[in-house]
Amino acid sequence: MAIRYLLDEHLSPTYRSQLVRRNPELVVRIIGDLDVPPQGYSRSRDFDLVPNQWIYFGDEQP
């Protein structure tokens, strides 16, 4: 089963692009996408919610 991330609607869609570019097997959706479960139901469809916080890749520093 692929890892499935549900991004907070306040995160830039660039995060989705970068995650999938680095690992094409990921399933990454953003709250508000047409094929996303309603808010509050992320666990019922096996999505891991990524809240509106800083996300760092590789050696980036906060």
Side-chain angles (χ1 to χ4, degrees):
M1 174 184 259
I3 297 174
R4 299 166 58 124
Y5 289 119
L6 179 60
L7 302 180
D8 185 285
E9 70 270 25
H10 297 103
L11 288 173
S12 169
T14 303
Y15 288 108
R16 174 183 14 209
S17 301
Q18 291 297 313
L19 286 166
V20 173
R21 183 178 66 83
R22 291 171 184 258
N23 186 347
E25 295 179 13
L26 293 176
V27 176
V28 183
R29 301 290 184 260
I30 298 175
I31 293 173
D33 285 352
L34 295 177
D35 60 343
V36 170
Q39 280 184 313
Y41 292 96
S42 62
R43 292 285 177 196
S44 68
R45 304 230 1 228
D46 297 322
F47 278 94
D48 289 319
L49 180 63
V50 179
N52 185 15
Q53 297 175 350
W54 287 101
I55 299 174
Y56 299 101
F57 294 104
D59 296 330
E60 295 178 16
Q61 296 295 319

